[in-house]
Amino acid sequence: MKEFYRLSFQNKLSLEEAWQELEMAGLELAYGEEEDDKVILYLYLNSSEEICSYSWIDTYEKTTLSPIDWEAQWASHGLDFHDGAVHVSFEAYGKEAKSIMLKPGPGFGDLSHPTTHLVLRLMARFINGQSIVDIGSGSGVLSLAAIAMGASFAYGIDIDPAAIEHAVQNAAFNQMDASCHFCLPGDFQFNSLDAPLIVMNMISSEQQVAWESLPILHALPGLRLVSGIRQEEREAYMNQVKSWGWTLKEEIEQDGWLGFCFTSAS
């Protein structure tokens, strides 16, 4: 069973750099903060041995999960945060659509990470009235953006019940709750005859686990829009998706992260 850890290090390494390095290693991060000349990260570990190889970590210790001030977290890191919410406008992605707002909470997706922008750029081009399946839906940002961009319905899937609750709240906040459904992987059902647009914004190891947990989607043809892959991981990732029967249609980049549009004829 995983336990909660607090680790700290000198801010010669930024919070974003440390987060990316640990995330690429497949570790489960909760949140981070900066205190004077220190950076603090909170994450879940099977054992402290998972972080012993990182020489830049000064201290680490087991701790308890205290209540998180999500509004302070989102205000510090979220893009265009004001009036208690992140505001998402779609003009920068080349799409005329009604803006959405995201309340702070535990779901990933406050627009602070380049991968979210990569998927939004792809969605602006490839959404054409179809439904969307958002694997790893987090705060619901991609599901709600899809509805704003013209998707007929959004199915959001996440393994974290707290993130699902957060996404449900954001859907209601944007008066989109009738057009969205958020659930755990084991509760997901898709009975439409139309091929959905499938999106995944997570690192490759998480994508592999998530995709293999949803065999109901494997035989569906259509587009897959994904991000969460660093440039140096590209070759290994291409081998992974080739085994899924995906063919590359388009590739974009931002700040060393890659976004892809794949097709699948399955």
Side-chain angles (χ1 to χ4, degrees):
M1 180 178 179
K2 290 187 177 183
E3 296 184 279
F4 199 58
Y5 278 75
R6 177 188 188 272
L7 62 86
S8 67
F9 51 93
Q10 297 291 328
N11 62 7
K12 293 178 182 178
L13 190 70
S14 72
L15 172 61
E16 290 76 17
E17 289 169 335
W19 186 288
Q20 288 179 9
E21 186 167 346
L22 295 174
E23 190 176 53
M24 286 174 61
L27 299 181
E28 183 181 353
L29 292 104
Y31 65 101
E33 58 191 8
E34 295 177 310
E35 296 179 357
D36 299 325
D37 62 341
K38 289 272 189 181
V39 177
I40 312 296
L41 279 174
Y42 295 86
L43 69 167
Y44 296 92
L45 299 172
N46 292 307
S47 103
S48 61
E49 293 181 1
E50 292 183 281
I51 54 171
C52 286
S53 62
Y54 297 96
S55 59
W56 44 266
I57 297 175
D58 294 330
T59 65
Y60 56 86
E61 60 183 350
K62 292 180 185 177
T63 186
T64 56
L65 183 59
S66 57
I68 300 171
D69 186 344
W70 288 114
E71 183 157 350
Q73 289 287 314
W74 280 52
S76 297
H77 305 291
L79 184 67
D80 196 14
F81 185 92
H82 58 88
D83 300 326
V86 163
H87 292 65
V88 187
S89 176
F90 300 107
E91 285 80 2
Y93 307 107
K95 191 79 169 181
E96 291 187 11
K98 181 181 177 181
S99 298
I100 61 172
M101 295 181 290
L102 303 169
K103 285 289 190 180
F108 175 84
D110 61 5
L111 263 71
S112 63
H113 204 279
T115 59
T116 310
H117 296 276
L118 287 166
V119 178
L120 287 170
R121 284 166 58 187
L122 291 167
M123 285 172 53
R125 289 196 54 205
F126 292 108
I127 285 181
N128 188 27
Q130 71 274 62
S131 61
I132 179 175
V133 177
D134 178 10
I135 303 173
S137 49
S139 67
V141 55
L142 297 179
S143 294
L144 301 180
I147 297 301
M149 291 181 186
S152 59
F153 197 85
Y155 301 86
I157 307 168
D158 205 286
I159 61 172
D160 183 357
I164 292 172
E165 182 180 356
H166 183 203
V168 168
Q169 292 170 351
N170 277 325
F173 185 53
N174 288 276
Q175 299 182 333
M176 294 179 173
D177 41 325
S179 301
C180 301
H181 176 68
F182 298 96
C183 65
L184 295 167
D187 297 328
F188 174 69
Q189 295 183 352
F190 187 80
N191 300 315
S192 174
L193 296 177
D194 297 324
L197 180 70
I198 297 172
V199 302
M200 285 196 290
N201 180 22
M202 57 182 75
I203 61 175
S204 60
S205 59
E206 293 174 343
Q207 284 190 29
Q208 185 166 8
V209 172
W211 185 247
E212 291 176 358
S213 74
L214 294 165
I216 191 174
L217 296 175
H218 295 184
L220 296 177
L223 299 179
R224 285 84 163 100
L225 309 182
V226 301
S227 190
I229 311 303
R230 299 286 293 182
Q231 285 182 323
E232 56 268 27
E233 302 172 302
R234 185 184 185 281
E235 183 177 355
Y237 183 69
M238 287 300 173
N239 289 331
Q240 177 175 302
V241 299
K242 183 179 180 180
S243 69
W244 296 342
W246 297 4
T247 301
L248 181 63
K249 179 179 177 68
E250 185 167 329
E251 179 177 342
I252 57 177
E253 182 272 341
Q254 182 174 330
D255 298 335
W257 293 91
L258 302 176
F260 303 98
C261 174
F262 294 101
T263 60
S264 176
S266 298

